[in-house]
Amino acid sequence: MTQSRLKFKPKYEKILELLLYLSHKKPNADHYQAVKLLYLADAEHFSRYGRPITFEKYCALKFGPVASNALDVLKQNRAAMKKFGIEELPFETEQLDKVIYIRSPKRAVDHDIFSVSDLRVFDEILAQYGNCTFGELYNITHAHFAYINAWDNRGDTNSADIAYEDMMEENSTKAAYLEELESVSDHM
């Protein structure tokens, strides 16, 4: 299993606020869609601008990439709620069978924590993938190099961390950029 060169720390406030934003833009999204849309948005933003939106920790699992902290908070896991510094979610949820649905928002989104590019990219991802079925999102995300590399190199485990550097497209400046970013990534 390969180690990621970049040591980003998840921005819990941005993860939660982006889930709230999703509740405004696409009420009734399920947790499968939510974790895949966050992944697609972070991957796109990182590839374009050299930094993710949420700095979330992504894992490769059998059904694709998963936004680990987002999933834990959607499940209202006690440790995750504490990590996020909340006692309740800022949107309604409903669990039917094993699927958690993000329902209506309880408050407005704090747009001040996002850059213009953060929400522009997330809106583009919603427009492009927001109406995809589970199977379509499965196929789309399973085709990403970052997922494939993590999954294929996981060893005997059921999951593996996805490296942000694998989300960035190969080009002539990638190696130099990653070398520079590597020394500051744990402070971002």
Side-chain angles (χ1 to χ4, degrees):
M1 190 171 358
T2 57
Q3 283 291 100
S4 178
R5 294 171 54 186
L6 305 177
K7 306 294 183 209
F8 292 133
K9 293 178 182 162
K11 307 286 187 217
Y12 300 113
E13 184 181 25
K14 286 182 94 173
I15 294 167
L16 188 65
E17 216 60 25
L18 205 53
L19 290 170
L20 175 62
Y21 187 79
L22 181 62
S23 77
H24 281 273
K25 293 285 191 169
K26 187 175 172 37
N28 303 318
D30 64 44
H31 73 274
Y32 295 109
Q33 292 169 316
V35 299
K36 302 293 185 264
L37 293 170
L38 264 65
Y39 166 78
L40 291 166
D42 268 335
E44 181 63 28
H45 199 280
F46 182 69
S47 190
R48 263 194 230 175
Y49 300 107
R51 71 163 176 81
I53 298 169
T54 67
F55 296 79
E56 172 66 287
K57 177 186 176 199
Y58 291 98
C59 293
L61 298 172
K62 180 180 178 180
F63 294 111
V66 172
S68 301
N69 294 293
L71 182 58
D72 286 345
V73 81
L74 285 171
K75 290 180 175 180
Q76 298 184 53
N77 170 298
R78 186 180 317 212
M81 299 292 276
K82 185 175 181 177
K83 203 179 337 183
F84 277 77
I86 59 174
E87 292 185 21
E88 67 177 42
L89 294 171
F91 47 84
E92 300 292 334
T93 61
E94 181 180 10
Q95 186 164 346
L96 300 172
D97 293 318
K98 294 181 180 182
V99 180
I100 301 166
Y101 292 90
I102 298 172
R103 300 295 190 199
S104 59
K106 295 179 183 176
R107 64 170 173 81
V109 174
D110 179 2
H111 286 85
D112 292 340
I113 70 167
F114 297 111
S115 70
V116 172
S117 65
D118 289 343
L119 294 182
R120 182 183 324 117
V121 167
F122 194 71
D123 284 339
E124 290 171 11
I125 293 300
L126 275 177
Q128 187 171 0
Y129 303 109
N131 293 319
C132 289
T133 65
F134 173 83
E136 290 167 335
L137 286 172
Y138 176 97
N139 290 333
I140 291 162
T141 57
H142 272 71
H144 280 217
F145 174 76
Y147 172 79
I148 294 167
N149 194 41
W151 185 252
D152 288 351
N153 292 298
R154 74 187 185 286
D156 292 335
T157 65
N158 292 328
S159 70
D161 291 347
I162 294 176
Y164 268 99
E165 56 267 25
D166 289 342
M167 294 180 189
M168 188 174 277
E169 291 183 28
E170 292 296 329
N171 62 43
S172 60
T173 61
K174 178 180 176 178
Y177 180 77
L178 289 175
E179 187 175 323
E180 184 177 316
L181 187 59
E182 186 174 16
S183 65
V184 298
S185 66
D186 61 343
H187 302 291
M188 294 179 83

